[in-house]
Amino acid sequence: MTVRQTTRTWSQEFLPHSESRSGSSSRERSHSRERSRQRLVDSSSNLSTMRSRRGVMLESSRTLYSSFSRSIELSLDEVDATKFIQENFKKRECILYTKDPKSQDNICKCGYSKTQHIDSTQNNQNEKWNNKKHTKELPTDAYGDIQFEAFGRRGKYIRLSRDTTPEILYELMAKYWQLKTPNLIISVTGGAKNFSLKPRMRKIFSRLIYIAQSKGAWIFTGGTHYGLMKYIGEVVRDNTISRSSEEKVVAIGIAAWGMISNRDTLIRSPNAEGNYVAHYIMDEQKRDPLYCLDNNHTHLILVDNGTHGHPTTEAELRASLEKYISELNVPESNYGGKIPIVCFAQGGGKETLRAINTAIKSKIPCVVVEGSGQTADVIASLVEAEGTSLASSAIKEKLLRFLPRTVSRLAEEEMEAWIRWIKEIMENLHLLTVIKIEQAGDEIVSNAICFALYKAFSTNEQDKDNWNAQLKLLLEWNQLELASEEIFTNDRRWESADLEDAMFAALVKDRPKFVRLLLENGLNLRKFLSSEILSELFSEHFSTLVFRNLQIAKNSYNDSLLTFIWKMVLSYQRNRKDERNSRDDSESQDLSQTIKHPIQVLFIWAILQNKRELSKVIWEQTRGCTLAALGASKLLKSLAKVKNDINAAGESEEIANEYETRAVELFTECYSNDEELAELLLVYTCEAWGNSNCLEMAVEAKDQQFIAQPGVQNFLSKQWYGEISRDTKNWKIILCLILFPLISCGFISFRKKISEGKRNHLWKYFAFFTSPFVVFSWTVIFYIGFLLLFAYVLLMDFQPFPTGLEIAVYVLVFVLLCDEIRQMYMSGVKYFIDLWNIMDILGILYFIAGIVFRLYSDSPSSLYTGRVIFCLDYIIFTVRLIHIFTVSRNLGPKIIMLQRMLIDVFFFLFLFAVWVIAFGVARQGILRLNEHRWEWIFRSVIYEPYLAVFGQYISDVDGTTYDFDHCTITGNESKPLCVELDSDHNPRFPEWITIPLVCIYMLSTNILLVNLLIAMFGYTVGSVQENNDQVWKFQRYFLVQEYCSRLTIPFPFVIFAYFYMILRKMFSCCCKQQEPQPSPCCSKKEDNETLAWEAVMKENYLVKLISQAHNSMEMEQRFKQLEAKLNDLKGFMKDISSKLK
């Protein structure tokens, strides 16, 4: 039978256990479960037959079959692991009983009693007992899952011989325990006895566990619930209690089997097969020399040399395992294909010293905590005394100082061994790193581990010239200063290709300072960003949440830039199967255009994921950085609107504002240097941003600060006045509209200096009448004339048949209709975003409806209906006149205030409607019975309570003043229904309810709600007033853009131009001509020159930013110095005053 591998994770983490059971009964039930699993394995040969038979069963049967199949897969995986363990792992048993003369009982030299030996054990009389010679390897009988009964935690464990090869042990851990290949091994050594842990030391351990979580490291400890190992386990528990299963720390305890208390519960029963769950009881109150296993370790390796009560038997296997892992070749490792190991030592005695010595001999770097006591302080003090002689007497003096009790009991030979071990350690100072416990902050521990690994790496004969691996090591630990000082030195030159792997890692790990460092040392970012690199970034290192938010924003706002970015991301995500299968061809994007701007694409990748500092570094490398900053502001503001996380949305808004500020400051720098080139930047378009320019991007992002700056406003003024000089007074221009011969008399000044002549006079007339401001002025004059003519027709000349003046109104409305059609054709969907355009369409549609009723003159009611529609339509056309006033600096902000106040009124009406309906229904129900006329119900419930807000008194709630002459009893007259009467023909309603009800209603509406509305208006006006000038300048852009995009022919003569355009379009359809392809961006010489100049201005701007930051730091430092001096002076004055007293 072929055992099929499954993806089940063998190394289950600590899982909660539902109940506490006795050891014997639980083992029996466990054995029963194992026998059931074995029966499933035996029946797996008939699996295909069972599937064919069950294919025709009901859905519930298929579900049962699915769970049955999964249980078989789990059983097969467990059987595979069990078979591997039984074939490769052994235990050791004493085979030669040698009585220990020091023991009163029949105890062997191995530590076990005679009855605890195996049956084939022989008696030894003379031969000296040796554990290697007098113990025998047998198949291990203790492995599986360990369940800690009192704590409900679970882990893996195995008993193995001390002679087990590290290759087999690592294969068990990686393949059958399903542990991921570690990126780092942290071997912790220290005191094995119970002691009180210092708070600073606990903080160091907490940081150590955090490093293990973030780096994917394994932690090796002694694995028992005593001393240092106990505290390590507690910190592991505290740091992983709220973490997901993927972030669990792999804490591996390596302990001596013969030193474990209650180890009999770990031995499997003879008939147990498959996975076995051992229920281990931690008896911390038990007084014996044995140790309990720690319940917070995830994996336990119990080393057996055939003895009982003999400590440190695991040290040799632990050292060999660490050495083997450190020499493994792992291609995907960030440390030159190796798995780095660091020994972390605190406190401790003889075994800690021996562990440090063994690690140093294996070229494993060590981090020693000074201040933790004992052996660690001995090593740290000797490292600090570097340069002095390491005489045996000096070492002995240090030992007596920090280990007085232990050293005083040592024999001379043991003392010499200790001194020899210390000398061997001090011969490799480059492998030692000391941190002080009082200075151990959050970053000190990680910096120390990184520095230790780097020193070991850089001094290794095989790797000391492998600069790329050293750079990756420092990048992984984010050690910028060390990389600057040790890697990028003046005597070493780097090629761009050598830095590409490090650059990719820096981008993925969000290391902006390393990205800047690599760029400063020769990396060519444009060559590095190939299509394959960008595809990998967008497919493998792009957040799915950002991807979903981008899709939501694209679907919600129907924005051209968001749609463009969405298609670009989809095109780069070639490895996303779901999107590739679901999307159609319309969502694909040709990358031939965007690939010309790889730095811009990388900048978009960073911006979409809110990588603030990284995006700033990339922004500094882009061409067209003003457009890029505005594009980033637009993207971030759009994504912030669809993010559910308030903090993430706020961060996006904050970054967007930063880029808006950068765009403003950079353009100000450009405009102060050269106005013409700066204006070219405003109209520069880039394919990476959907062929948008700076002005369009700023308006879409609502970056009012950018639009309101003087450079942009001067550019808009040039567009607004055309060839007319901006110094010309407006009244002169308006006067020339009437007395146009004044144009050729020099009354109007133009930007171009032209000489006198007939042709030049014609040019003046052409330049004047094609100016957008002149076209706007003509349009306003004719529009006002149209309104006056329309009013005259409605009030004085509305005949059964249209007169000449009325037909003239029809013609003018037709011209307006043609203009709206042109705008709709040019703007597309964006046309309907503007509320003024919607008002224009409504006005024209109402006018057409009025014409239909008006021309249907067979009935007088139809004629009257048409006139009513015309009158209502006249309101719309007149209100439309307000939009024209936005050009005024004084009236423009007032119009903005009015628009926002209408929004306030809209929300206020919801509150107001609650009170009106509540009061109106209650009033009508109390006063009148069964009113069936809907129009009078509306008047009583809504209309009259509404008028009461404006001061109209409600008189029908007072019985003393009620007038029955103004009501109807039957409901047949055009009067309100009379109130209900009692038997005496008096109003039935109780005045003690109706009058207070009216008082409460008037108090709530006239005082509370009306004042609330006034307060809302005040806030709205105040907010607009604060940015009065900025808001007006931003709104002015839309009016300028509208008239600059129109035909430069005054209204209403533009109708002839529309006819000409229609005829030309018809002829062009008959005679098809190939339209010229638009030239790609940066292909023109002017664009390249402008972008090169902008790059120079950007460098100047960045230099100013750095100098400002430096000045602020200097000022802060000066204030600190001044504060220190003032404190010293204060102390000095106190001393003087105390002496005088």
Side-chain angles (χ1 to χ4, degrees):
M1 180 182 66
T2 303
V3 180
R4 181 162 58 90
Q5 294 287 342
T6 67
T7 58
R8 174 183 178 269
T9 301
W10 173 268
S11 60
Q12 299 180 17
E13 302 294 351
F14 293 156
L15 301 174
H17 192 57
S18 60
E19 58 180 351
S20 177
R21 295 170 294 183
S22 63
S24 59
S25 61
S26 62
R27 283 196 298 273
E28 290 175 1
R29 284 190 287 271
S30 177
H31 299 160
S32 177
R33 288 196 298 270
E34 296 302 328
R35 286 192 295 270
S36 300
R37 292 192 184 102
Q38 183 61 33
R39 286 196 296 271
L40 292 177
V41 175
D42 296 337
S43 63
S44 62
S45 58
N46 299 324
L47 186 59
S48 58
T49 306
M50 293 166 60
R51 286 177 177 171
S52 61
R53 286 201 304 265
R54 289 176 179 259
V56 295
M57 295 181 66
L58 298 173
E59 184 64 27
S60 59
S61 300
R62 288 198 295 268
T63 304
L64 178 62
Y65 168 73
S66 177
S67 62
F68 180 78
S69 300
R70 285 195 299 270
S71 65
I72 288 181
E73 290 177 357
L74 297 180
S75 301
L76 296 179
D77 195 24
E78 292 165 357
V79 168
D80 196 14
T82 302
K83 182 179 179 181
F84 174 79
I85 292 173
Q86 290 176 348
E87 290 178 353
N88 295 279
F89 291 92
K90 310 294 181 182
K91 67 176 181 178
R92 277 196 171 273
E93 294 284 356
C94 178
I95 58 174
L96 188 67
Y97 173 75
T98 305
K99 188 177 185 307
D100 188 357
K102 297 180 181 180
S103 175
Q104 298 179 358
D105 301 325
N106 293 327
I107 302 299
C108 177
K109 285 278 190 178
C110 68
Y112 290 101
S113 64
K114 188 172 184 179
T115 57
Q116 291 176 316
H117 285 64
I118 59 178
D119 295 338
S120 59
T121 303
Q122 300 177 0
N123 291 327
N124 179 22
Q125 302 295 335
N126 301 318
E127 190 175 357
K128 185 178 180 180
W129 191 87
N130 182 280
N131 69 318
K132 291 185 178 180
K133 182 178 180 182
H134 298 142
T135 58
K136 177 183 178 182
E137 284 190 344
L138 298 172
T140 184
D141 57 357
Y143 58 90
D145 290 351
I146 180 171
Q147 179 80 42
F148 292 90
E149 289 294 323
F151 301 92
R153 296 181 180 272
R154 198 168 187 172
K156 289 288 182 184
Y157 80 99
I158 187 171
R159 173 189 182 184
L160 48 81
S161 170
R162 64 177 297 176
D163 297 327
T164 304
T165 60
E167 295 89 345
I168 295 297
L169 180 55
Y170 183 78
E171 183 179 358
L172 170 70
M173 299 163 71
K175 184 176 180 181
Y176 295 98
W177 283 356
Q178 294 290 316
L179 292 178
K180 295 181 180 179
T181 303
N183 296 318
L184 174 67
I185 301 291
I186 302 176
S187 181
V188 184
T189 183
K193 296 181 180 180
N194 280 331
F195 60 93
S196 179
L197 188 68
K198 298 178 181 179
R200 290 184 179 272
M201 202 66 217
R202 179 175 287 276
K203 186 176 181 181
I204 291 175
F205 287 155
S206 180
R207 186 64 188 177
L208 202 65
I209 301 305
Y210 173 78
I211 292 172
Q213 280 180 313
S214 59
K215 302 296 182 184
W218 292 356
I219 296 180
F220 284 172
T221 72
T224 58
H225 196 64
Y226 287 85
L228 176 68
M229 293 79 75
K230 172 183 176 181
Y231 294 119
I232 288 288
E234 290 176 354
V235 176
V236 169
R237 176 199 64 201
D238 296 341
N239 281 266
T240 59
I241 196 168
S242 62
R243 303 279 181 175
S244 62
S245 59
E246 285 121 6
E247 294 177 338
K248 290 288 186 182
V249 177
V250 179
I252 301 174
I254 304 177
W257 169 264
M259 293 298 297
I260 302 302
S261 175
N262 297 329
R263 61 179 179 270
D264 292 342
T265 59
L266 303 177
I267 299 176
R268 300 162 66 96
S269 59
N271 56 352
E273 298 177 359
N275 190 39
Y276 176 76
V277 180
H279 298 274
Y280 186 79
I281 300 176
M282 293 178 58
D283 189 2
E284 297 186 65
Q285 305 299 325
K286 188 177 180 181
R287 298 293 180 180
D288 61 16
L290 303 182
Y291 301 139
C292 292
L293 293 174
D294 185 68
N295 59 303
N296 292 307
H297 282 66
T298 58
H299 301 79
L300 296 167
I301 299 173
L302 309 177
V303 183
D304 185 15
N305 69 342
T307 63
H308 166 75
H310 292 196
T312 71
T313 57
E314 79 284 357
E316 185 178 345
L317 178 63
R318 176 174 172 176
S320 63
L321 177 62
E322 292 173 356
K323 190 173 188 301
Y324 171 77
I325 294 177
S326 67
E327 295 174 352
L328 277 177
N329 186 18
V330 183
E332 64 271 15
S333 172
N334 294 323
Y335 307 95
K338 303 292 184 181
I339 299 176
I341 297 184
V342 62
C343 176
F344 197 89
Q346 78 91 34
K350 176 182 178 181
E351 298 307 323
T352 300
L353 181 61
R354 181 182 292 176
I356 296 174
N357 179 269
T358 304
I360 294 296
K361 287 181 179 179
S362 301
K363 304 301 180 183
I364 295 174
C366 293
V367 177
V368 179
V369 182
E370 182 181 355
S372 59
Q374 298 183 324
T375 300
D377 282 359
V378 173
I379 301 296
S381 62
L382 292 173
V383 171
E384 288 183 355
E386 182 184 359
T388 60
S389 60
L390 278 177
S392 299
S393 59
I395 297 175
K396 188 174 181 179
E397 181 183 350
K398 297 290 184 182
L399 289 172
L400 287 171
R401 177 183 173 186
F402 294 104
L403 294 161
R405 294 184 179 179
T406 304
V407 174
S408 62
R409 295 194 296 265
L410 292 179
E412 189 65 27
E413 294 180 358
E414 289 182 303
M415 175 63 74
E416 291 179 359
W418 280 51
I419 294 173
R420 184 178 69 255
W421 291 342
I422 292 175
K423 286 184 176 181
E424 291 172 353
I425 292 172
M426 299 308 295
E427 289 174 358
N428 297 274
L429 282 175
H430 63 281
L431 295 176
L432 289 174
T433 302
V434 177
I435 59 174
K436 295 184 178 181
I437 189 172
E438 64 271 8
Q439 298 177 356
D442 290 340
E443 298 299 327
I444 295 296
V445 178
S446 58
N447 292 345
I449 293 177
C450 175
F451 189 58
L453 293 174
Y454 175 74
K455 287 194 299 182
F457 203 97
S458 59
T459 55
N460 190 352
E461 291 295 330
Q462 298 178 353
D463 301 318
K464 66 179 182 179
D465 294 328
N466 191 349
W467 302 108
N468 282 323
Q470 296 177 33
L471 178 59
K472 288 181 180 179
L473 169 66
L474 297 178
L475 191 150
E476 177 71 23
W477 291 85
N478 200 20
Q479 297 296 316
L480 182 72
E481 294 183 4
L482 199 58
S484 302
E485 296 171 0
E486 301 290 339
I487 303 295
F488 296 103
T489 56
N490 294 328
D491 59 342
R492 190 177 301 117
R493 296 188 62 183
W494 291 82
E495 297 294 333
S496 178
D498 298 334
L499 301 175
E500 289 183 353
D501 291 342
M503 173 58 86
F504 186 83
L507 291 174
V508 171
K509 297 180 182 298
D510 194 10
R511 304 276 196 266
K513 294 182 179 179
F514 262 97
V515 171
R516 191 187 300 276
L517 181 65
L518 295 173
L519 291 171
E520 291 173 351
N521 285 275
L523 184 128
N524 190 323
L525 188 58
R526 188 176 183 85
K527 290 183 179 179
F528 163 70
L529 293 173
S530 61
S531 178
E532 291 76 14
I533 292 293
L534 293 174
S535 297
E536 186 172 356
L537 287 174
F538 276 102
S539 59
E540 302 297 332
H541 305 284
F542 194 74
S543 171
T544 54
L545 179 60
V546 174
F547 187 81
R548 186 164 58 251
N549 288 336
L550 182 61
Q551 183 180 15
I552 294 172
K554 187 261 299 184
N555 296 333
S556 300
Y557 301 111
N558 196 20
D559 184 84
S560 59
L561 177 63
L562 291 173
T563 303
F564 175 82
I565 298 296
W566 163 255
K567 291 183 178 180
M568 183 187 73
V569 172
L570 278 180
S571 300
Y572 279 114
Q573 290 182 336
R574 296 176 300 181
N575 297 328
R576 287 183 179 269
K577 296 182 179 180
D578 295 339
E579 287 77 10
R580 184 172 64 246
N581 294 335
S582 62
R583 70 175 186 264
D584 52 27
D585 295 337
S586 62
E587 290 181 326
S588 61
Q589 177 78 26
D590 185 12
L591 296 179
S592 60
Q593 296 179 343
T594 57
I595 202 62
K596 299 176 184 177
H597 311 278
I599 303 179
Q600 299 275 14
V601 176
L602 179 64
F603 177 67
I604 292 172
W605 173 81
I607 280 296
L608 290 175
Q609 300 186 97
N610 274 17
K611 297 180 182 291
R612 174 181 294 186
E613 298 301 327
L614 180 62
S615 64
K616 289 180 181 178
V617 176
I618 301 171
W619 176 79
E620 295 172 6
Q621 308 299 319
T622 59
R623 299 187 72 191
C625 43
T626 306
L627 177 61
L630 293 171
S633 176
K634 168 70 169 59
L635 275 178
L636 289 167
K637 287 182 179 179
S638 300
L639 291 176
K641 296 176 182 177
V642 299
K643 288 183 177 179
N644 295 325
D645 188 350
I646 298 177
N647 295 329
E651 184 182 4
S652 296
E653 288 281 358
E654 187 178 344
I655 300 174
N657 294 333
E658 288 182 6
Y659 275 104
E660 180 185 358
T661 303
R662 285 203 165 203
V664 171
E665 294 175 351
L666 177 58
F667 184 79
T668 302
E669 179 76 20
C670 296
Y671 192 77
S672 62
N673 183 270
D674 193 316
E675 294 184 7
E676 293 184 0
L677 288 176
E679 290 174 355
L680 289 177
L681 279 179
L682 293 176
V683 295
Y684 161 75
T685 61
C686 181
E687 294 161 342
W689 296 101
N691 288 319
S692 299
N693 59 37
C694 291
L695 285 176
E696 295 171 348
M697 200 72 75
V699 170
E700 291 177 359
K702 296 183 180 179
D703 292 337
Q704 296 184 4
Q705 187 181 358
F706 183 84
I707 297 296
Q709 59 181 321
V712 177
Q713 289 299 309
N714 290 337
F715 175 77
L716 293 177
S717 297
K718 286 183 180 180
Q719 300 292 319
W720 182 239
Y721 287 98
E723 295 296 334
I724 301 175
S725 175
R726 287 180 295 166
D727 298 331
T728 305
K729 302 295 182 181
N730 290 343
W731 65 269
K732 289 185 177 182
I733 299 175
I734 295 174
L735 182 61
C736 289
L737 290 176
I738 303 172
L739 304 174
F740 54 87
L742 294 175
I743 299 173
S744 60
C745 299
F747 193 70
I748 300 295
S749 58
F750 295 89
R751 285 191 292 168
K752 284 185 178 181
K753 299 296 182 181
I754 54 175
S755 57
E756 296 296 327
K758 185 177 180 180
R759 178 175 298 179
N760 292 331
H761 288 310
L762 292 175
W763 181 88
K764 287 182 179 180
Y765 284 111
F766 178 79
F768 178 82
F769 285 105
T770 57
S771 169
F773 177 71
V774 174
V775 174
F776 168 75
S777 302
W778 268 111
T779 302
V780 172
I781 292 172
F782 275 97
Y783 192 81
I784 294 174
F786 157 72
L787 292 177
L788 293 175
L789 181 61
F790 196 6
Y792 176 80
V793 170
L794 289 175
L795 300 177
M796 304 176 65
D797 194 24
F798 196 83
Q799 306 298 332
F801 295 97
T803 61
L805 293 178
E806 188 175 350
I807 293 175
V809 173
Y810 295 171
V811 173
L812 293 176
V813 173
F814 176 74
V815 176
L816 291 175
L817 174 62
C818 293
D819 187 64
E820 295 303 321
I821 293 174
R822 183 198 64 82
Q823 291 185 48
M824 195 182 304
Y825 176 77
M826 297 296 293
S827 302
V829 181
K830 291 183 179 180
Y831 173 84
F832 298 97
I833 299 176
D834 192 350
L835 294 177
W836 295 111
N837 290 333
I838 296 176
M839 186 174 289
D840 290 336
I841 292 296
L842 288 177
I844 293 172
L845 291 177
Y846 269 111
F847 194 86
I848 295 173
I851 292 176
V852 171
F853 281 98
R854 191 251 184 279
L855 295 181
Y856 186 72
S857 57
D858 293 344
S859 62
S861 61
S862 176
L863 181 64
Y864 178 75
T865 303
R867 182 157 61 91
V868 171
I869 294 176
F870 280 151
C871 292
L872 296 176
D873 194 37
Y874 184 81
I875 298 176
I876 297 177
F877 280 123
T878 306
V879 173
R880 183 64 176 82
L881 192 64
I882 295 177
H883 177 55
I884 298 173
F885 298 144
T886 55
V887 74
S888 171
R889 183 184 290 270
N890 295 322
L891 292 178
K894 305 300 185 294
I895 296 172
I896 305 301
M897 294 177 189
L898 184 62
Q899 291 176 347
R900 297 188 181 181
M901 288 165 69
L902 287 175
I903 297 175
D904 291 340
V905 171
F906 177 76
F907 290 105
F908 168 79
L909 288 177
F910 283 101
L911 294 175
F912 182 60
V914 173
W915 290 97
V916 169
I917 294 175
F919 172 74
V921 172
R923 168 176 167 264
Q924 177 70 6
I926 292 172
L927 297 181
R928 297 171 180 87
L929 177 64
N930 296 334
E931 171 66 84
H932 297 286
R933 296 173 298 173
W934 284 104
E935 65 275 11
W936 286 100
I937 291 177
F938 175 80
R939 287 174 63 93
S940 180
V941 172
I942 297 177
Y943 179 62
E944 292 178 2
Y946 173 75
L947 292 179
V949 177
F950 301 97
Q952 181 171 327
Y953 176 68
I954 302 176
S955 60
D956 57 0
V957 296
D958 190 353
T960 59
T961 60
Y962 191 81
D963 189 1
F964 285 93
D965 295 334
H966 294 85
C967 66
T968 176
I969 298 177
T970 60
N972 296 327
E973 304 176 58
S974 182
K975 295 178 182 180
L977 188 67
C978 291
V979 298
E980 188 177 356
L981 302 178
D982 58 12
S983 58
D984 297 331
H985 299 284
N986 293 322
R988 184 185 293 275
F989 62 84
E991 295 180 357
W992 59 272
I993 291 180
T994 56
I995 294 178
L997 192 64
V998 172
C999 294
I1000 294 173
Y1001 172 73
M1002 300 291 285
L1003 177 68
S1004 302
T1005 55
N1006 291 29
I1007 296 179
L1008 295 181
L1009 292 183
V1010 171
N1011 280 282
L1012 173 64
L1013 181 62
I1014 294 172
M1016 293 169 63
F1017 285 166
Y1019 175 78
T1020 300
V1021 171
S1023 61
V1024 176
Q1025 196 70 31
E1026 289 178 358
N1027 303 313
N1028 192 1
D1029 188 65
Q1030 193 176 98
V1031 171
W1032 170 75
K1033 288 177 178 177
F1034 185 75
Q1035 294 297 324
R1036 176 175 175 256
Y1037 166 83
F1038 296 100
L1039 188 67
V1040 173
Q1041 188 68 19
E1042 178 183 347
Y1043 280 90
C1044 287
S1045 62
R1046 284 189 176 189
L1047 296 177
T1048 55
I1049 299 176
F1051 180 87
F1053 308 109
V1054 71
I1055 187 65
F1056 302 109
Y1058 293 150
F1059 288 143
Y1060 169 74
M1061 292 172 63
I1062 293 173
L1063 292 175
R1064 189 179 66 177
K1065 188 70 176 178
M1066 293 172 61
F1067 282 114
S1068 63
C1069 291
C1070 298
C1071 306
K1072 292 185 178 180
Q1073 296 181 357
Q1074 186 176 2
E1075 296 182 359
Q1077 294 290 334
S1079 58
C1081 64
C1082 305
S1083 62
K1084 299 179 182 178
K1085 182 180 179 182
E1086 298 82 13
D1087 287 344
N1088 289 324
E1089 291 177 352
T1090 303
L1091 294 179
W1093 171 78
E1094 184 197 28
V1096 175
M1097 294 298 101
K1098 176 189 64 181
E1099 295 299 327
N1100 296 340
Y1101 166 67
L1102 294 175
V1103 169
K1104 288 183 179 180
L1105 283 183
I1106 295 173
S1107 62
Q1108 289 175 3
H1110 182 68
N1111 292 337
S1112 63
M1113 290 178 62
E1114 283 187 351
M1115 188 64 67
E1116 184 179 355
Q1117 188 67 26
R1118 289 178 182 177
F1119 276 117
K1120 288 182 179 179
Q1121 293 176 357
L1122 180 60
E1123 183 181 3
K1125 290 180 180 179
L1126 290 175
N1127 291 333
D1128 293 341
L1129 181 60
K1130 185 178 179 181
F1132 180 70
M1133 294 299 293
K1134 284 184 177 180
D1135 293 339
I1136 293 177
S1137 62
S1138 61
K1139 289 179 180 179
L1140 291 175
K1141 290 180 180 179

